[in-house]
Amino acid sequence: MGKKSEKAQKDKVAAGNAEDESRNSANASMERASLTVGDYQCTGILEQDFPELCGRAGFTESEIPRVTLCHRTAVTPTSEKNAADDSDGASDKDNPGGGGPTKDKFSYFKPKIEVETEGEDGKSVKVIFVHGWKIDHRMMGIFSKCLPALTALQGISLWNVALTESTFSQFLEILPHCPNIKTVVLEGNPLPEQSYYKLISDHLPLVRISLRNNMITDDGAKLISQALQSLKTNNKNLATLNLSFNHISDLGAGYLAEALRMDRSLLCLDLSHNQIGDQGTLALAEVLGPFPLTHKEIVERRRLLMDKDSHELQRSPTLSRNGDARNDRPQSHQSYAAVEKPEKAPAASKTNKSMAKKKDKDKDPQKKEEKSTTSLQGGNSTVSGQGGQAKKEDPKAAKKQLPNPEQKNSKVKPVRSASKRVPLTEHELHVEPAEITHPLLEPAESRDGKVFLPGNRVLINLNLLRNRITEKGLNGLLAAVEAQESKLIPGSKSHTGLLRLCVGNLFPPDNETFIKLQELMLSRDPIHKLSRLSADEQTQ
């Protein structure tokens, strides 16, 4: 028995060593493949770069997915057969035994990359579709090399590609290197840790994110809500978020409602085909209409108001058009005024001389011009230091000539004119763009001892189809829409409120609340208005 156990132990050790050797050889081959892939310089033409990179990574010719143009129309068996024949260069004539159709009838399901192109040459890839085949680490490494070279790439759709947490992390590392990427579709790719929230970030300028059919639960909705709340106020990128066909209940809807309180970027939110009931619906309806601020939000609002006031006070002296305030003027201005007063002529003699000047002006207009010329010359000589002529000049003319730096009074210190401002610093010269108003700084109302904000008027499309909403939730939605329909609070002229609302759920179609809500939304739906206008034009 002892010899047998020792032999079994030796066999186990040998098997483990062999497994380690095979794993090390596999890792070494992957490293060599990555080095080979890294040496290749992509041309930006996907049909050329992708097969070359796959070959360098160790894929055989039969394993390399084809790059084809995307066809939006449904493919019939005949057209499918013709497309397969055209792509593979095979036909019934080439296979007289009749094996052609049998050989190619599954070509539609072979791994391929569908692309949408733009431009006259058709080489600029705009959108990439990968549907129904697994993307492993090697393939994601190839994508990390060829996708950033596609300068016109705007969208990536990965449907049912068996993403894992590690391959998803690789995908996240690719996105920042695609500067024009706007749309990401990850559907049918459930992740155990539900890390989809990492797509919602300030350094990823995504506009549309679709996460349908990913088995997202309330925990995933909470992570997404926290990501939305962590975005900066000036981040207005994300406009559409699709969370349909998941497992979000009232709790998850409440988390998303928390994000909508201060989010002023999201335009469309799709929560259809989930498990949302009346409680979650009421939470969403509350943030669409006027809602009271919490204690924490009130404290934050006061802090923002104080920061805004202090910022305006710091900027107000440099932005004044009329110069500094009298109390803020330099002491040289005030000392100059004190020195200037004793030099002025007495009030009586000043009045007599002004009356005499008026009579001379009425008698001879030409003398007027001569006197004005001599008075200006006398003013210049006075500022140059001839104190005897200071009484003969017009004090106003003397003041106008004082800022001249070459003509200084010996009794007065050099004074810089108030019209000549101190040179602005680089920070003051930098013209900042118009600041985006923080949601907590929106016009508010005080009512019943609470502070109310006007609500989220940015969200224009909300889809709640196929959930568990009853008439109780309908009443909350109706109250929110009616509140948006009422007069706008001053300062919110750019916020329109809901334009489309889908709520077909657990109530009959002849429900009075549903009919009233439907009529109210039809009057706001822009698509319905356009169709009605076109129908009226056709009848006329």
Side-chain angles (χ1 to χ4, degrees), residues 498-501 519-532:
L498 281 179
L499 300 180
R500 302 198 72 185
L501 176 62
E519 291 176 352
L520 188 59
M521 293 308 303
L522 284 177
S523 64
R524 308 179 69 176
D525 191 340
I527 299 178
H528 177 71
K529 290 180 180 179
L530 291 175
S531 60
R532 187 171 56 185

Side-chain angles (χ1 to χ4, degrees), residues 325-538:
R326 181 168 297 180
N327 295 333
D328 297 334
R329 291 180 180 175
Q331 295 183 358
S332 59
H333 287 62
Q334 299 177 2
S335 61
Y336 169 72
V339 174
E340 182 186 15
K341 286 181 180 179
E343 293 183 0
K344 291 183 179 180
S349 60
K350 180 179 178 182
T351 306
N352 296 333
K353 290 181 179 180
S354 61
M355 293 294 293
K357 287 183 180 180
K358 287 183 180 180
K359 292 179 180 180
D360 295 336
K361 288 178 182 178
D362 295 336
K363 292 180 180 178
D364 192 358
Q366 294 181 355
K367 292 183 178 180
K368 175 183 176 181
E369 296 178 359
E370 295 176 357
K371 289 182 179 180
S372 61
T373 306
T374 54
S375 63
L376 288 174
Q377 294 174 352
N380 291 337
S381 61
T382 303
V383 179
S384 301
Q386 297 179 8
Q389 296 182 6
K391 297 180 181 181
K392 297 180 180 180
E393 67 172 3
D394 188 359
K396 293 184 179 180
K399 287 184 180 180
K400 291 181 181 178
Q401 299 298 326
L402 281 173
N404 193 335
E406 298 179 356
Q407 302 165 351
K408 301 176 184 179
N409 196 323
S410 58
K411 298 182 181 180
V412 183
K413 296 181 180 180
V415 179
R416 181 169 53 224
S417 173
S419 61
K420 293 184 179 181
R421 307 290 301 156
V422 179
L424 299 178
T425 62
E426 293 183 1
H427 177 72
E428 294 169 341
L429 287 173
H430 176 68
V431 180
E432 298 180 355
E435 297 181 357
I436 299 175
T437 305
H438 193 282
L440 286 175
L441 295 180
E442 293 177 355
E445 282 184 329
S446 297
R447 189 169 67 246
D448 300 330
K450 297 180 180 180
V451 180
F452 286 80
L453 285 186
N456 190 323
R457 305 291 179 93
V458 176
L459 189 70
I460 61 175
N461 189 353
L462 178 61
N463 190 350
L464 295 172
L465 281 173
R466 303 296 181 184
N467 279 280
R468 301 174 181 177
I469 304 173
T470 65
E471 188 172 0
K472 182 179 179 182
L474 272 182
N475 289 327
L477 290 173
L478 179 60
V481 175
E482 287 177 343
Q484 290 186 349
E485 194 74 14
S486 62
K487 63 178 182 178
L488 293 176
I489 296 177
S492 60
K493 49 189 176 182
S494 62
H495 299 170
T496 58
L498 281 179
L499 300 180
R500 302 198 72 185
L501 176 62
C502 303
V503 288
N505 280 265
L506 302 179
F507 45 82
D510 58 348
N511 183 281
E512 293 182 1
T513 306
F514 174 67
I515 293 174
K516 187 175 180 180
L517 180 61
Q518 192 176 28
E519 291 176 352
L520 188 59
M521 293 308 303
L522 284 177
S523 64
R524 308 179 69 176
D525 191 340
I527 299 178
H528 177 71
K529 290 180 180 179
L530 291 175
S531 60
R532 187 171 56 185
L533 288 174
S534 61
D536 294 340
E537 290 177 357
Q538 290 177 1

